[in-house]
Amino acid sequence: MTTRRTRPAPRPPEGTPPRSELARQARTALADAVRIARWAADGAAPGTPPLAAQALQRAATALELSPAQVRSGWDRARLAGLVELHGDTARPGWRLRAWDRDDSAVLRGWVALFDAWSLVHPAPADLESTAVAEAVEAVPQVLSLLQLSAGPVTVPALLDLLGQRVAELREERCEVPYGPQPLPGPAEPAPPADPAALLDWALEGLAAVGALTLAADHATLTPLGNWAVWVKLEQICVAAQSPAGNIEQSAADMLLGCARLTPGPARDEYRAWLAARPVGSAVAELLDVARGEDALLRGLAFEALRVVGASAEPEVRAVLTDSSLRPYALLWLAEYDGADPEDAPDVLSREEATWLWVDTAAAVADHGETGLLVRHLDSAVQGTVPALLEEVRAVGHPRTVQVLVALAAAHPDPALAKAVRRAAFQVHTGGA
């Protein structure tokens, strides 16, 4: 028995098409992107953007599209997770392989594109970058009004809402400096942003990904756009409830507060904490915690990033070059692309898997029980303890010595404990 509140699964608004129809619409919206992704994955990869001129022309000829259509479709394929770039080689993403049979994969791919609308339709060069960033942050309010209105909304009404939300964001960011401050020198006044131009750009971007349709003086969400906004509003409503009260904590304190929760309640806490912050700053804070010395927080930070989903993908992909975060990022990306969590470790090299084993052991040694550390031996990819010790010594994890010492102290087998202590000594002294 449990006393936790249960909430029935929410039902989409009346008139929302079934998922199979929504997936059909998403397949139509991404048809060119899928064709280009399949062409690239068949061995004729266009390479990394900007597309090489020869490959661009080959794709245009083979697919009977204009070069501009190929370039646009290639960008959409990447943003929707249909292709993965490994150096200059394009490989099919999991969603592309599941495209014809898995409606959930299709809808997730379209939502990833929807979230990236400002990349699909870049802002004009004459719009100031700060104003563009404010408009992007304010767009969810515009989408909420469109969704709640359940029909066309006039452009003046959307413009008024955009202006109000931008003003609120500026007020929220206003900070009063403390202590003596130097007198400000003369500064060039920033040119005022044109709210109408910002709204036009945002609406055109959302229309470009198929989230809404535009007429002369009003905008209307498409069925796909209406469904996506409803899903996000539902997530916020659920996430706004923080049963364990960690919503106002820093990322590190929130993660520590979730450390002893079971997965379901922990995810509720992550959602609540994330819902109270801009996505970009929340992801950055979680990754800062992951870069710290506490291995437990590193693992928990990536658990919280799994709740973020598509919005965290660029930042997670960017940390692949960080050796301490790479194994976690590879697992995150594999699961994000649809791999079964039990199969996701297959993406790790032997060295990466060994590094992750040591890092997890460090988390257990710092925060867990000795019996759990002993059982952690069974999760190593190496078949024998001597092989594990040999590869652990070579992997270069900064906590190797402490982990081996703790394992030797915890293990009940004297012979094995002696071998582990010897390995710890060799690592400590630099011996072979």
Side-chain angles (χ1 to χ4, degrees):
M1 294 291 291
T2 179
T3 58
R4 286 185 58 83
R5 173 188 55 78
T6 59
R7 185 176 188 266
R11 302 176 70 88
E14 186 176 352
T16 302
R19 286 177 66 86
S20 58
E21 171 59 19
L22 291 171
R24 186 196 66 77
Q25 294 178 16
R27 287 186 175 96
T28 300
L30 283 163
D32 283 351
V34 170
R35 291 181 64 205
I36 293 167
R38 285 176 172 158
W39 178 87
D42 283 342
T48 54
L51 303 182
Q54 292 181 347
L56 180 65
Q57 191 56 52
R58 286 202 309 272
T61 301
L63 301 172
E64 298 182 348
L65 298 172
S66 70
Q69 288 174 314
V70 172
R71 189 177 289 107
S72 173
W74 175 249
D75 287 341
R76 288 165 180 260
R78 293 179 60 229
L79 292 170
L82 299 173
V83 290
E84 300 172 1
L85 292 180
H86 300 264
D88 290 335
T89 303
R91 297 179 187 171
W94 178 86
R95 286 179 188 150
L96 182 63
R97 295 192 293 271
W99 195 254
D100 293 328
R101 56 179 170 80
D102 190 334
D103 289 347
S104 293
V106 172
L107 290 173
R108 287 178 64 186
W110 183 84
V111 169
L113 185 71
F114 168 64
D115 288 338
W117 65 267
S118 61
L119 301 179
V120 173
H121 184 67
D126 59 346
L127 289 178
E128 199 266 329
S129 59
T130 301
V132 168
E134 291 173 340
V136 171
E137 199 170 348
V139 156
Q141 290 285 93
V142 173
L143 290 169
S144 297
L145 175 61
L146 285 162
Q147 198 273 335
L148 294 171
S149 299
V153 179
T154 64
V155 169
L158 296 174
L159 184 59
D160 183 57
L161 178 62
L162 181 70
Q164 291 180 32
R165 183 57 183 149
V166 168
E168 291 171 359
L169 292 169
R170 290 174 179 171
E171 185 176 351
E172 290 170 4
R173 283 195 296 267
C174 181
E175 297 180 359
V176 179
Y178 289 89
Q181 301 293 319
L183 293 174
E188 289 288 331
D194 180 2
L198 289 168
L199 179 65
D200 287 346
W201 164 67
L203 293 179
E204 289 167 1
L206 292 164
V209 298
L212 54 79
T213 57
L214 293 173
D217 61 347
H218 63 266
T220 309
L221 286 177
T222 63
L224 267 176
N226 188 68
W227 168 79
V229 176
W230 170 78
V231 168
K232 291 178 183 297
L233 287 173
E234 274 296 312
Q235 291 171 345
I236 291 171
C237 290
V238 173
Q241 305 168 49
S242 175
N246 291 300
I247 194 170
E248 296 181 358
Q249 302 295 327
S250 67
D253 290 341
M254 180 273 294
L255 293 172
L256 282 175
C258 295
R260 295 195 177 275
L261 296 177
T262 54
R267 283 191 292 271
D268 289 342
E269 288 299 296
Y270 300 151
R271 291 189 185 99
W273 187 86
L274 290 161
R277 290 158 177 79
V279 173
S281 61
V283 170
E285 190 175 351
L286 288 169
L287 287 174
D288 282 344
V289 171
R291 293 186 181 95
E293 297 181 358
D294 193 324
L296 175 66
L297 293 186
R298 186 158 30 253
L300 292 175
F302 276 86
E303 288 299 319
L305 288 169
R306 284 178 171 83
V307 174
V308 179
S311 300
E313 181 185 9
E315 288 78 4
V316 171
R317 201 172 290 281
V319 302
L320 287 173
T321 56
D322 187 325
S323 60
S324 66
L325 302 186
R326 179 176 173 81
Y328 293 95
L330 287 171
L331 292 175
W332 190 99
L333 290 166
E335 293 181 29
Y336 171 76
D337 286 333
D340 189 292
E342 294 184 0
D343 299 330
D346 294 343
V347 304
L348 301 180
S349 68
R350 182 109 165 180
E351 182 179 0
E352 290 160 350
T354 303
W355 196 100
L356 184 61
W357 185 92
V358 178
D359 206 48
T360 306
V364 174
D366 290 342
H367 300 277
E369 301 173 354
T370 56
L372 185 59
L373 186 60
V374 173
R375 292 195 296 273
H376 184 55
L377 273 174
D378 296 334
S379 67
V381 296
Q382 294 79 6
T384 65
V385 171
L388 170 64
L389 295 178
E390 180 179 354
E391 293 185 34
V392 163
R393 288 200 301 266
V395 80
H397 193 289
R399 294 290 304 280
T400 299
V401 173
Q402 294 94 323
V403 164
L404 294 177
V405 169
L407 181 59
H411 207 283
D413 183 335
L416 190 148
K418 181 179 180 180
V420 174
R421 274 194 300 273
R422 184 185 304 115
F425 178 77
Q426 291 170 342
V427 175
H428 179 62
T429 60

